[in-house]
Amino acid sequence: MRRPAPPGVQESPFLFRRMVEDDLDRVMEIELQAFSHPWSAELFRRELTHPWSTVLLATEPRPAPEGRREQLLGFVIYWLVHDELHVLNVAVAGEERRRGVARALLEEMSARGRLAGAVLATLEVRRSNRPAIALYESLGYRRVGLRPNYYVDEGEDAIVMNADL
Ligand SMILES: CC(C)(COP(=O)(O)OP(=O)(O)OC[C@H]1O[C@@H](n2cnc3c(N)ncnc32)[C@H](O)[C@@H]1OP(=O)(O)O)[C@@H](O)C(=O)NCCC(=O)NCCS
């Protein structure tokens, strides 16, 4: 649902809602475009059953395949653990990037997290993932640690980043 933006704040052109099972095909399409080691459909299904987990979608009202009236642009998956948000996965469809979708999703996540009592957001990002690091830094995330060989596939280090909410 659209909320009016506070004075001086640009309203997001995107809509947000939680994922339902029906969204799985498009979510998997985005996931497969985004990652060389993608999550499985089963993992997404499992997230939908965890009460602490949110799969938040950014959508746009426009004609989309299969007669849908909204296009699904991207998603963020996060867990609410006590007063922290743990960001597990963020991805935007290839053709929708650099439109501010990820920024809007993370801002919406933070707003929802604050309402739920969260005071900190935390995430891990591959050391080589410059677009994602630039995105997080632009939103005020700080580098607070390094996990060596965190990604077992390629033995890549993870940078740990936090933001106050
Ligand atoms: C990272 C990702 C989610 C960014 O999504 P996006 O919707 O294109 O990002 P936005 O348009 O909201 O960008 C916001 C800011 O992030 C930074 N940014 C985003 N993509 C960037 C890129 N390719 N290069 C440099 N900076 C980038 C910029 O600061 C940008 O602001 P600007 O456009 O005003 O310069 C997207 O590239 C993606 O899905 N990548 C593959 C999956 C992935 O790596 N996810 C993160 C896992 S930790």
Side-chain angles (χ1 to χ4, degrees), residues 76-163:
V76 57
I77 305 178
Y78 61 93
W79 287 5
L80 177 63
V81 183
H82 303 295
D83 58 357
E84 292 184 1
L85 297 184
H86 291 233
V87 185
L88 275 71
N89 196 344
V90 187
V92 171
E95 69 280 10
E96 308 291 349
R97 291 187 190 160
R98 295 312 284 269
R99 297 183 56 208
V101 175
R103 174 178 288 142
L105 266 170
L106 290 168
E107 285 173 346
E108 180 69 17
M109 174 196 79
S110 297
R112 289 176 183 226
R114 278 191 294 272
L115 281 176
V119 296
L120 186 88
T122 184
L123 56 84
E124 282 104 15
V125 56
R126 283 178 190 264
R127 196 178 205 164
S128 63
N129 194 344
R130 289 192 189 180
I133 293 169
L135 164 72
Y136 301 137
E137 284 181 339
S138 80
L139 286 163
Y141 284 76
R142 303 171 309 274
R143 298 172 192 228
V144 294
L146 191 77
R147 297 197 208 286
N149 304 313
Y150 181 76
Y151 298 98
V152 281
D153 42 33
E154 277 126 17
E156 188 171 351
D157 301 341
I159 296 173
V160 184
M161 301 184 84
N162 284 356

